[in-house]
Amino acid sequence: MNIIEVTNQKHRTEFLDLAGKLYKNDSNYARPLDAEIEGIFNPDNNSFFSHGKAIRWILQDENGATIGRIAAFINEKKAHTYEQPTGGCGFFECIDDKKAAFLLFDTAKSWLSDNGMEAMDGPVNFGENDNHWGLLVDGFIPQGYGMPYHQKYYKAFFEEYGFKVFFEQYSYHLDLSKKFPERFWKIAEWIAKKPGFSFEHFRYDNSEKYVQDIISVYNEAWKFHDNFSPIDPEDLRKIAREGKGVIEEEFIWFAYHEGKPIAFFVAMPDINQILIKMNGKFNLWNKLKFLYYLKRKTITRARITIMGVVPKYQRFGVESAIFWHMDKVMKHKPQYNEMELSWVGDFNPKMVSIYESVGGVKMKTHFTYRYLFDRNKPFNRTPIIPLENRGDKAKRKKAKESAE
């Protein structure tokens, strides 16, 4: 077997096409657009290159056929926030051959080690964790856009190599034809109409305001996380620009208290229902097909990609009030019959409780693994930090030490 660094167009094509070959008989698999994957490895498109680096390889057999692939990356903003400097590996695909899989893992590990890392997470993305993050281990059904789909045998590869579960990621599904629990509605309506609170959805004609509102809430809500790094506003502007025509303005909501942004909620139409017909290509013909299927209202699912609430307001039921507004929107869009609530970590029992309170059913589980290069060091999972401990660094430190 021969490991080859991806450095030219032929290698890039082999890297991209391998997944299509491995899943060609799997009707649940929707191949991501080639341009999207290529953009992740292009410094001109991916802002993470301003504070990190990435590399990728393909693995070929003795006949020159590509049988595996993997990427490795370092995000300098997060790598050194852990006890062991930690990089990542991702975009792993491989035939059912443990020797081949282990060679791919070894290659990523060696590069990361040479670059000062002492651990690697995988499979993860060289970007935010809302896309291409985690290994699918349960729920081998059509995935929402951005949620990875994998071969069932990958789990054994990761665990036999020595990866351990760092945290679990759950995706809940909500049947929009069913009513929300009555108790939930009473709380939601009460909050939605409470004086001082206001709610509004995203509008393109005022998009910069909403970009800044997301940043404000995100920075406040996530700043106590151990590996927090602020959002790059240009990344949000890029998403808004590239999503125009697909993004539903009424699927993105904001909550305010006395005019100050305190929460946001982002849901996106699940374009995988169209991309599954395109085999990763977005040429002129497929663009026309995309518009055709979009106009025909082929998309019947939406996916919640992220929700954030400023800690001070996390016990006010603001999330419930946003769902209350979203329910009114969905009544005017009857083509949507399902909402994916993804993903929530096992370290976040508060959000798990919210998803279950609205009637969500756990349908998919992804694992984010971690591999420590020093096999003698103790392994610690992501700690569960109770809501009441957020904002108090002393309590958070104590909770973390208890978890370890």
Side-chain angles (χ1 to χ4, degrees), residues 152-195:
K152 293 180 180 179
Y153 57 82
Y154 287 0
K155 181 175 184 289
F157 286 165
F158 276 84
E159 294 182 358
E160 289 178 24
Y161 185 78
F163 283 92
K164 293 185 179 180
V165 177
F166 191 49
F167 57 81
E168 299 183 9
Q169 306 159 227
Y170 307 133
S171 293
Y172 287 76
H173 282 217
L174 190 62
D175 183 346
L176 297 177
S177 68
K178 296 180 179 179
K179 291 184 178 180
F180 284 20
E182 189 61 32
R183 178 178 175 277
F184 173 86
W185 277 138
K186 289 180 179 179
I187 296 173
E189 186 173 7
W190 178 72
I191 292 295
K193 296 179 178 180
K194 192 174 181 181

Short mmCIF file of all heavy atoms in Angstrom, two decimals, residues 152-195:
data_model
loop_
_atom_site.label_atom_id
_atom_site.label_comp_id
_atom_site.label_asym_id
_atom_site.label_seq_id
_atom_site.Cartn_x
_atom_site.Cartn_y
_atom_site.Cartn_z
N LYS A 152 -20.59 1.29 8.73
CA LYS A 152 -20.76 0.76 10.08
C LYS A 152 -19.46 0.21 10.66
O LYS A 152 -19.24 0.23 11.87
CB LYS A 152 -21.84 -0.31 10.09
CG LYS A 152 -23.24 0.23 9.80
CD LYS A 152 -24.28 -0.89 9.83
CE LYS A 152 -25.67 -0.33 9.54
NZ LYS A 152 -26.70 -1.39 9.54
N TYR A 153 -18.58 -0.29 9.80
CA TYR A 153 -17.36 -0.92 10.30
C TYR A 153 -16.29 0.08 10.75
O TYR A 153 -15.28 -0.31 11.33
CB TYR A 153 -16.79 -1.89 9.27
CG TYR A 153 -16.47 -1.32 7.89
CD1 TYR A 153 -15.29 -0.64 7.64
CD2 TYR A 153 -17.35 -1.52 6.82
CE1 TYR A 153 -14.98 -0.14 6.38
CE2 TYR A 153 -17.06 -1.03 5.55
CZ TYR A 153 -15.88 -0.34 5.33
OH TYR A 153 -15.58 0.14 4.08
N TYR A 154 -16.52 1.38 10.51
CA TYR A 154 -15.53 2.38 10.94
C TYR A 154 -15.37 2.43 12.45
O TYR A 154 -14.29 2.70 12.97
CB TYR A 154 -15.92 3.77 10.43
CG TYR A 154 -15.73 3.99 8.94
CD1 TYR A 154 -15.24 3.00 8.11
CD2 TYR A 154 -16.04 5.22 8.36
CE1 TYR A 154 -15.07 3.20 6.74
CE2 TYR A 154 -15.88 5.44 7.00
CZ TYR A 154 -15.41 4.44 6.20
OH TYR A 154 -15.25 4.65 4.86
N LYS A 155 -16.45 2.20 13.18
CA LYS A 155 -16.41 2.26 14.64
C LYS A 155 -15.34 1.32 15.19
O LYS A 155 -14.55 1.69 16.07
CB LYS A 155 -17.78 1.93 15.23
CG LYS A 155 -17.86 2.00 16.75
CD LYS A 155 -19.32 1.77 17.21
CE LYS A 155 -19.46 1.92 18.72
NZ LYS A 155 -18.84 0.81 19.45
N ALA A 156 -15.30 0.10 14.67
CA ALA A 156 -14.30 -0.87 15.13
C ALA A 156 -12.89 -0.40 14.78
O ALA A 156 -11.96 -0.58 15.59
CB ALA A 156 -14.58 -2.23 14.50
N PHE A 157 -12.71 0.21 13.62
CA PHE A 157 -11.39 0.73 13.26
C PHE A 157 -10.89 1.72 14.30
O PHE A 157 -9.76 1.62 14.80
CB PHE A 157 -11.44 1.41 11.89
CG PHE A 157 -11.54 0.48 10.71
CD1 PHE A 157 -11.90 0.98 9.46
CD2 PHE A 157 -11.27 -0.86 10.83
CE1 PHE A 157 -11.98 0.14 8.37
CE2 PHE A 157 -11.35 -1.72 9.74
CZ PHE A 157 -11.71 -1.21 8.49
N PHE A 158 -11.72 2.71 14.62
CA PHE A 158 -11.31 3.76 15.55
C PHE A 158 -11.01 3.17 16.93
O PHE A 158 -9.99 3.49 17.55
CB PHE A 158 -12.39 4.84 15.65
CG PHE A 158 -12.31 5.89 14.57
CD1 PHE A 158 -12.88 5.67 13.33
CD2 PHE A 158 -11.64 7.08 14.79
CE1 PHE A 158 -12.81 6.63 12.33
CE2 PHE A 158 -11.56 8.05 13.80
CZ PHE A 158 -12.14 7.82 12.56
N GLU A 159 -11.89 2.33 17.41
CA GLU A 159 -11.75 1.84 18.78
C GLU A 159 -10.63 0.81 18.92
O GLU A 159 -9.94 0.78 19.93
CB GLU A 159 -13.09 1.31 19.27
CG GLU A 159 -14.12 2.44 19.37
CD GLU A 159 -15.48 2.01 19.90
OE1 GLU A 159 -15.65 0.80 20.17
OE2 GLU A 159 -16.36 2.88 20.04
N GLU A 160 -10.43 -0.02 17.91
CA GLU A 160 -9.33 -0.99 17.98
C GLU A 160 -7.98 -0.30 17.82
O GLU A 160 -6.97 -0.79 18.36
CB GLU A 160 -9.52 -2.07 16.90
CG GLU A 160 -10.67 -3.01 17.21
CD GLU A 160 -10.88 -4.05 16.12
OE1 GLU A 160 -9.92 -4.35 15.38
OE2 GLU A 160 -12.02 -4.55 16.00
N TYR A 161 -7.96 0.83 17.12
CA TYR A 161 -6.70 1.57 17.01
C TYR A 161 -6.31 2.19 18.35
O TYR A 161 -5.12 2.35 18.66
CB TYR A 161 -6.83 2.66 15.95
CG TYR A 161 -5.55 3.41 15.66
CD1 TYR A 161 -4.55 2.85 14.86
CD2 TYR A 161 -5.32 4.69 16.20
CE1 TYR A 161 -3.37 3.53 14.60
CE2 TYR A 161 -4.14 5.37 15.94
CZ TYR A 161 -3.17 4.79 15.14
OH TYR A 161 -1.99 5.47 14.88
N GLY A 162 -7.32 2.53 19.15
CA GLY A 162 -7.05 3.11 20.47
C GLY A 162 -7.78 4.41 20.75
O GLY A 162 -7.63 4.99 21.83
N PHE A 163 -8.56 4.89 19.79
CA PHE A 163 -9.38 6.08 20.04
C PHE A 163 -10.40 5.75 21.13
O PHE A 163 -10.92 4.64 21.20
CB PHE A 163 -10.15 6.49 18.77
CG PHE A 163 -9.33 7.20 17.73
CD1 PHE A 163 -8.71 6.49 16.72
CD2 PHE A 163 -9.22 8.59 17.75
CE1 PHE A 163 -7.97 7.14 15.74
CE2 PHE A 163 -8.49 9.25 16.77
CZ PHE A 163 -7.86 8.53 15.76
N LYS A 164 -10.68 6.76 21.97
CA LYS A 164 -11.73 6.62 22.98
C LYS A 164 -12.73 7.75 22.81
O LYS A 164 -12.39 8.84 22.34
CB LYS A 164 -11.12 6.65 24.39
CG LYS A 164 -10.24 5.44 24.69
CD LYS A 164 -9.75 5.46 26.13
CE LYS A 164 -8.90 4.23 26.44
NZ LYS A 164 -8.41 4.23 27.83
N VAL A 165 -13.97 7.50 23.21
CA VAL A 165 -15.02 8.48 23.04
C VAL A 165 -14.76 9.70 23.93
O VAL A 165 -14.69 9.58 25.16
CB VAL A 165 -16.40 7.88 23.37
CG1 VAL A 165 -17.49 8.95 23.24
CG2 VAL A 165 -16.71 6.70 22.45
N PHE A 166 -14.62 10.85 23.29
CA PHE A 166 -14.42 12.11 24.03
C PHE A 166 -15.76 12.71 24.40
O PHE A 166 -15.95 13.20 25.50
CB PHE A 166 -13.60 13.07 23.17
CG PHE A 166 -13.10 14.28 23.89
CD1 PHE A 166 -12.46 14.19 25.11
CD2 PHE A 166 -13.28 15.56 23.35
CE1 PHE A 166 -12.01 15.31 25.78
CE2 PHE A 166 -12.83 16.68 24.00
CZ PHE A 166 -12.19 16.56 25.22
N PHE A 167 -16.71 12.66 23.48
CA PHE A 167 -18.09 12.98 23.81
C PHE A 167 -19.01 12.38 22.75
O PHE A 167 -18.59 12.04 21.64
CB PHE A 167 -18.34 14.49 23.95
CG PHE A 167 -17.97 15.34 22.76
CD1 PHE A 167 -18.81 15.46 21.67
CD2 PHE A 167 -16.79 16.06 22.75
CE1 PHE A 167 -18.48 16.25 20.59
CE2 PHE A 167 -16.44 16.87 21.68
CZ PHE A 167 -17.29 16.96 20.58
N GLU A 168 -20.28 12.22 23.13
CA GLU A 168 -21.29 11.69 22.22
C GLU A 168 -22.16 12.84 21.71
O GLU A 168 -22.41 13.80 22.43
CB GLU A 168 -22.15 10.64 22.93
CG GLU A 168 -21.35 9.45 23.43
CD GLU A 168 -22.20 8.38 24.07
OE1 GLU A 168 -23.45 8.48 23.98
OE2 GLU A 168 -21.62 7.45 24.66
N GLN A 169 -22.62 12.71 20.48
CA GLN A 169 -23.45 13.74 19.86
C GLN A 169 -24.78 13.11 19.44
O GLN A 169 -24.80 12.11 18.74
CB GLN A 169 -22.76 14.30 18.61
CG GLN A 169 -21.35 14.80 18.84
CD GLN A 169 -20.55 14.84 17.55
OE1 GLN A 169 -19.42 14.38 17.48
NE2 GLN A 169 -21.13 15.40 16.49
N TYR A 170 -25.88 13.71 19.87
CA TYR A 170 -27.19 13.16 19.60
C TYR A 170 -27.97 14.09 18.66
O TYR A 170 -27.96 15.30 18.82
CB TYR A 170 -27.99 12.99 20.88
CG TYR A 170 -27.26 12.21 21.95
CD1 TYR A 170 -27.21 12.67 23.27
CD2 TYR A 170 -26.62 11.00 21.66
CE1 TYR A 170 -26.55 11.96 24.25
CE2 TYR A 170 -25.96 10.28 22.64
CZ TYR A 170 -25.92 10.77 23.94
OH TYR A 170 -25.25 10.06 24.91
N SER A 171 -28.65 13.48 17.70
CA SER A 171 -29.54 14.22 16.82
C SER A 171 -30.96 13.73 17.08
O SER A 171 -31.23 12.52 17.00
CB SER A 171 -29.18 14.00 15.35
OG SER A 171 -27.93 14.59 15.06
N TYR A 172 -31.83 14.66 17.41
CA TYR A 172 -33.23 14.35 17.66
C TYR A 172 -34.06 14.74 16.45
O TYR A 172 -33.73 15.69 15.74
CB TYR A 172 -33.73 15.10 18.89
CG TYR A 172 -33.21 14.56 20.20
CD1 TYR A 172 -31.90 14.79 20.61
CD2 TYR A 172 -34.02 13.79 21.03
CE1 TYR A 172 -31.42 14.29 21.81
CE2 TYR A 172 -33.55 13.28 22.23
CZ TYR A 172 -32.24 13.54 22.62
OH TYR A 172 -31.77 13.03 23.79
N HIS A 173 -35.14 14.00 16.22
CA HIS A 173 -36.05 14.34 15.12
C HIS A 173 -37.41 14.69 15.70
O HIS A 173 -37.90 14.07 16.63
CB HIS A 173 -36.17 13.16 14.15
CG HIS A 173 -35.00 13.04 13.23
ND1 HIS A 173 -35.11 12.66 11.92
CD2 HIS A 173 -33.68 13.27 13.42
CE1 HIS A 173 -33.92 12.65 11.34
NE2 HIS A 173 -33.03 13.01 12.25
N LEU A 174 -38.00 15.71 15.08
CA LEU A 174 -39.29 16.22 15.53
C LEU A 174 -40.29 16.06 14.40
O LEU A 174 -40.08 16.57 13.29
CB LEU A 174 -39.15 17.69 15.91
CG LEU A 174 -40.30 18.38 16.62
CD1 LEU A 174 -40.57 17.71 17.96
CD2 LEU A 174 -39.97 19.85 16.83
N ASP A 175 -41.35 15.30 14.65
CA ASP A 175 -42.43 15.11 13.68
C ASP A 175 -43.33 16.34 13.74
O ASP A 175 -44.05 16.55 14.72
CB ASP A 175 -43.21 13.84 14.02
CG ASP A 175 -44.31 13.53 13.01
OD1 ASP A 175 -44.65 14.41 12.20
OD2 ASP A 175 -44.82 12.39 13.03
N LEU A 176 -43.28 17.16 12.70
CA LEU A 176 -44.01 18.43 12.73
C LEU A 176 -45.52 18.26 12.58
O LEU A 176 -46.27 19.22 12.73
CB LEU A 176 -43.49 19.36 11.64
CG LEU A 176 -42.02 19.77 11.80
CD1 LEU A 176 -41.56 20.63 10.63
CD2 LEU A 176 -41.79 20.52 13.10
N SER A 177 -45.96 17.04 12.28
CA SER A 177 -47.40 16.79 12.18
C SER A 177 -48.01 16.56 13.56
O SER A 177 -49.23 16.57 13.71
CB SER A 177 -47.68 15.58 11.28
OG SER A 177 -47.22 14.37 11.89
N LYS A 178 -47.16 16.37 14.57
CA LYS A 178 -47.64 16.14 15.93
C LYS A 178 -47.57 17.43 16.74
O LYS A 178 -46.67 18.24 16.57
CB LYS A 178 -46.80 15.05 16.62
CG LYS A 178 -46.91 13.68 15.96
CD LYS A 178 -46.07 12.66 16.71
CE LYS A 178 -46.18 11.28 16.07
NZ LYS A 178 -45.34 10.28 16.78
N LYS A 179 -48.52 17.59 17.63
CA LYS A 179 -48.55 18.78 18.47
C LYS A 179 -47.49 18.69 19.56
O LYS A 179 -47.17 17.60 20.05
CB LYS A 179 -49.93 18.93 19.12
CG LYS A 179 -51.04 19.28 18.15
CD LYS A 179 -52.35 19.51 18.90
CE LYS A 179 -53.46 19.92 17.94
NZ LYS A 179 -54.74 20.15 18.66
N PHE A 180 -46.94 19.85 19.93
CA PHE A 180 -46.01 19.89 21.04
C PHE A 180 -46.78 19.59 22.34
O PHE A 180 -47.98 19.85 22.43
CB PHE A 180 -45.36 21.27 21.16
CG PHE A 180 -44.28 21.53 20.15
CD1 PHE A 180 -44.20 20.80 18.98
CD2 PHE A 180 -43.34 22.53 20.37
CE1 PHE A 180 -43.21 21.05 18.04
CE2 PHE A 180 -42.35 22.80 19.44
CZ PHE A 180 -42.29 22.04 18.27
N PRO A 181 -46.09 19.09 23.37
CA PRO A 181 -46.76 18.84 24.65
C PRO A 181 -47.43 20.11 25.18
O PRO A 181 -46.88 21.21 25.09
CB PRO A 181 -45.61 18.39 25.56
CG PRO A 181 -44.59 17.83 24.61
CD PRO A 181 -44.68 18.67 23.38
N GLU A 182 -48.63 19.96 25.76
CA GLU A 182 -49.42 21.12 26.21
C GLU A 182 -48.65 21.95 27.25
O GLU A 182 -48.67 23.19 27.21
CB GLU A 182 -50.74 20.63 26.80
CG GLU A 182 -51.73 21.76 27.11
CD GLU A 182 -52.12 22.53 25.86
OE1 GLU A 182 -52.17 21.94 24.77
OE2 GLU A 182 -52.36 23.75 25.98
N ARG A 183 -47.96 21.28 28.17
CA ARG A 183 -47.22 22.01 29.20
C ARG A 183 -46.14 22.89 28.57
O ARG A 183 -45.91 24.03 28.99
CB ARG A 183 -46.57 21.01 30.19
CG ARG A 183 -45.74 21.68 31.28
CD ARG A 183 -45.17 20.63 32.24
NE ARG A 183 -44.29 21.24 33.22
CZ ARG A 183 -43.01 21.52 32.99
NH1 ARG A 183 -42.47 21.24 31.82
NH2 ARG A 183 -42.26 22.08 33.94
N PHE A 184 -45.50 22.36 27.54
CA PHE A 184 -44.48 23.13 26.84
C PHE A 184 -45.07 24.39 26.25
O PHE A 184 -44.50 25.48 26.35
CB PHE A 184 -43.86 22.26 25.73
CG PHE A 184 -42.92 23.02 24.84
CD1 PHE A 184 -41.59 23.16 25.19
CD2 PHE A 184 -43.36 23.59 23.66
CE1 PHE A 184 -40.71 23.86 24.37
CE2 PHE A 184 -42.49 24.30 22.84
CZ PHE A 184 -41.16 24.43 23.20
N TRP A 185 -46.25 24.27 25.62
CA TRP A 185 -46.86 25.43 24.98
C TRP A 185 -47.22 26.53 25.98
O TRP A 185 -47.09 27.72 25.69
CB TRP A 185 -48.12 25.01 24.22
CG TRP A 185 -47.85 24.47 22.86
CD1 TRP A 185 -48.42 23.40 22.27
CD2 TRP A 185 -46.93 24.98 21.88
NE1 TRP A 185 -47.91 23.19 21.02
CE2 TRP A 185 -47.00 24.15 20.76
CE3 TRP A 185 -46.04 26.05 21.87
CZ2 TRP A 185 -46.23 24.37 19.62
CZ3 TRP A 185 -45.27 26.27 20.73
CH2 TRP A 185 -45.37 25.43 19.63
N LYS A 186 -47.68 26.14 27.13
CA LYS A 186 -48.06 27.14 28.13
C LYS A 186 -46.86 27.96 28.56
O LYS A 186 -46.93 29.19 28.68
CB LYS A 186 -48.71 26.45 29.33
CG LYS A 186 -50.09 25.88 29.03
CD LYS A 186 -50.69 25.21 30.27
CE LYS A 186 -52.08 24.67 29.96
NZ LYS A 186 -52.68 23.98 31.14
N ILE A 187 -45.74 27.28 28.81
CA ILE A 187 -44.52 27.98 29.19
C ILE A 187 -44.03 28.86 28.04
O ILE A 187 -43.68 30.03 28.23
CB ILE A 187 -43.42 26.97 29.59
CG1 ILE A 187 -43.85 26.19 30.83
CG2 ILE A 187 -42.09 27.69 29.83
CD1 ILE A 187 -42.91 25.05 31.19
N ALA A 188 -44.04 28.30 26.84
CA ALA A 188 -43.53 29.01 25.67
C ALA A 188 -44.33 30.27 25.39
O ALA A 188 -43.78 31.35 25.14
CB ALA A 188 -43.56 28.08 24.46
N GLU A 189 -45.65 30.14 25.42
CA GLU A 189 -46.50 31.30 25.12
C GLU A 189 -46.35 32.37 26.20
O GLU A 189 -46.35 33.57 25.91
CB GLU A 189 -47.96 30.85 25.01
CG GLU A 189 -48.89 31.96 24.55
CD GLU A 189 -50.30 31.47 24.29
OE1 GLU A 189 -50.58 30.28 24.59
OE2 GLU A 189 -51.11 32.27 23.80
N TRP A 190 -46.20 31.95 27.44
CA TRP A 190 -46.04 32.91 28.53
C TRP A 190 -44.76 33.74 28.35
O TRP A 190 -44.78 34.95 28.48
CB TRP A 190 -46.00 32.15 29.86
CG TRP A 190 -45.79 33.06 31.06
CD1 TRP A 190 -46.69 33.93 31.60
CD2 TRP A 190 -44.59 33.18 31.82
NE1 TRP A 190 -46.12 34.59 32.67
CE2 TRP A 190 -44.83 34.15 32.84
CE3 TRP A 190 -43.34 32.56 31.77
CZ2 TRP A 190 -43.87 34.50 33.77
CZ3 TRP A 190 -42.39 32.91 32.71
CH2 TRP A 190 -42.65 33.87 33.69
N ILE A 191 -43.68 33.06 28.01
CA ILE A 191 -42.41 33.76 27.80
C ILE A 191 -42.49 34.65 26.56
O ILE A 191 -42.02 35.78 26.55
CB ILE A 191 -41.25 32.76 27.66
CG1 ILE A 191 -41.01 32.04 28.99
CG2 ILE A 191 -39.97 33.45 27.20
CD1 ILE A 191 -40.54 32.94 30.11
N ALA A 192 -43.08 34.13 25.50
CA ALA A 192 -43.14 34.86 24.23
C ALA A 192 -43.88 36.19 24.38
O ALA A 192 -43.61 37.13 23.63
CB ALA A 192 -43.81 34.00 23.17
N LYS A 193 -44.81 36.24 25.33
CA LYS A 193 -45.61 37.45 25.49
C LYS A 193 -45.23 38.27 26.73
O LYS A 193 -45.87 39.27 27.04
CB LYS A 193 -47.10 37.07 25.57
CG LYS A 193 -47.61 36.42 24.29
CD LYS A 193 -49.07 36.04 24.41
CE LYS A 193 -49.59 35.45 23.10
NZ LYS A 193 -51.03 35.07 23.19
N LYS A 194 -44.18 37.84 27.42
CA LYS A 194 -43.77 38.53 28.64
C LYS A 194 -43.19 39.90 28.32
O LYS A 194 -42.38 40.03 27.39
CB LYS A 194 -42.74 37.69 29.39
CG LYS A 194 -42.46 38.15 30.81
CD LYS A 194 -41.53 37.19 31.53
CE LYS A 194 -41.26 37.64 32.95
NZ LYS A 194 -40.34 36.74 33.68
N PRO A 195 -43.57 40.95 29.06
CA PRO A 195 -43.04 42.31 28.80
C PRO A 195 -41.52 42.34 28.87
O PRO A 195 -40.89 41.68 29.71
CB PRO A 195 -43.66 43.14 29.94
CG PRO A 195 -44.89 42.40 30.33
CD PRO A 195 -44.56 40.94 30.17
#
